[in-house]
Amino acid sequence: MIERLKELRVEAVAAFEGASSASELEEARVRYLGRKSELNQASRGLGKLPEDERRAAGRAVNEIKQELSALLEAAAERLAGGAGGGAGEPDLTLPGRLPWVGRKHPITRTLERLETIFATLGFEVATGPHIEDDFHNFEALNIPADHPARDMHDTFYIEGDKLLRTHTSPVQIRTMQSRKPPIRIIAPGRVYRNETPDASHGSEFYQLEGLYIDKGVRFGELMGVLQKFLGELYGQEVVVRFRPGFFPFTEPSTEVDIECRICRGEGCGVCKNTGWVELLGAGMVDPRVFEAVGYDPDVYTGYAFGLGIDRIAMMMSGVSDIRLYHENDLRFLRQV
Ligand code: DAH
């Protein structure tokens, strides 16, 4: 009998180790360890053996049972851990694994959206340096050294008259200097101010400038193009308000508001209970600006506008703190 047990053991070890699927393993288990297995029958028949054989046979049966149980467990683990899970066959009902793909920054996506809208309105993209000089950032825009408007534009000064641009308006000057009308451009980009950061101010942010110069451009065209732009951005039902304003480089000037989209004009925290949210500054290019770039103000007229890109991004996705955009925290950036 011990001889037979040894043979059985060899067969069973081979079957457990060779099993290549859960069903094969189960078959082997039933065959070698099941209730009707030879091993079990041997174990039950032990009592019939003569006294002197019984002890040795009993020990052999127990040892083999223990060894085979351990092997069975190991084989089950091996199959469960293998590629595709338990059955050794892929589980086709599991959701697939998505490759991790990067995405554009929300400010970039907003910027591209604005560029697309203005492209359909006939505007091309112009750029200018971030390190500007006093003339392009201030003087030519009719902001002389002692003008109070400079208080709002404190910045980081480099050497001599070099400074980090405080707005995208200097691109107006550079474009007019290097081209002849008609000019129809937008100039998006980063701007800098010496600000103490808070929820709505940062020392770096993004603006988009617009400029259209030709013979006979009128204020009504400015209103029309901005109404059209805001309609494309927020939906045609957007309510736009033009309010008189002041900018040194435009005359007349206007501030452009939209009815608060959160409370529909009722008044809430976002619109500071006014029902309106300010989005743009705009106006007709001041004759002093034309003189600074050598254009004849009796021949040409034009309009300009400027908006904050971060602001638009915040309004579109309900973000209430501008600093979130510049901290590079992926937990935030992946959501907006
Ligand atoms: N440059 C202005 C600022 O940073 C924004 C602005 C207002 C630009 C009116 C314009 C404009 O072109 O017409 O505060």
Side-chain angles (χ1 to χ4, degrees), residues 153 166-167 169 172 193 207 209-210 247 249-250 281-283 304-306:
H153 290 247
T166 60
H167 48 176
S169 303
Q172 288 188 32
R193 289 198 199 174
Q207 285 189 337
E209 193 82 12
F247 300 102
F249 36 88
T250 48
F305 55 86

Side-chain angles (χ1 to χ4, degrees), residues 111 114-115 117-119 121-127 141 165 167-176 179 182-189 191 206-214 217 221-223 225-226 229 247 249-250 252 254 256 279-286 289-290 301-309:
L111 170 55
L114 301 181
E115 283 181 358
I117 297 175
F118 280 111
L121 295 170
F123 289 79
E124 61 183 297
V125 175
T127 55
L141 288 160
R165 67 179 184 186
H167 48 176
T168 42
S169 303
V171 185
Q172 288 188 32
I173 304 300
R174 292 189 178 272
T175 309
M176 288 190 275
R179 300 199 207 170
I183 289 171
R184 185 151 52 187
I185 53 132
I186 52 169
V191 301
Y206 289 81
Q207 285 189 337
L208 184 141
E209 193 82 12
L211 179 71
Y212 177 35
I213 311 285
D214 204 346
V217 177
E221 290 170 61
L222 169 62
M223 295 177 80
V225 96
L226 291 181
F229 157 64
F247 300 102
F249 36 88
T250 48
T254 177
V256 187
L279 278 190
L280 294 119
M284 301 305 290
V285 177
D286 194 291
V289 174
F290 284 141
T301 51
Y303 61 71
F305 55 86
L307 59 83
I309 297 174

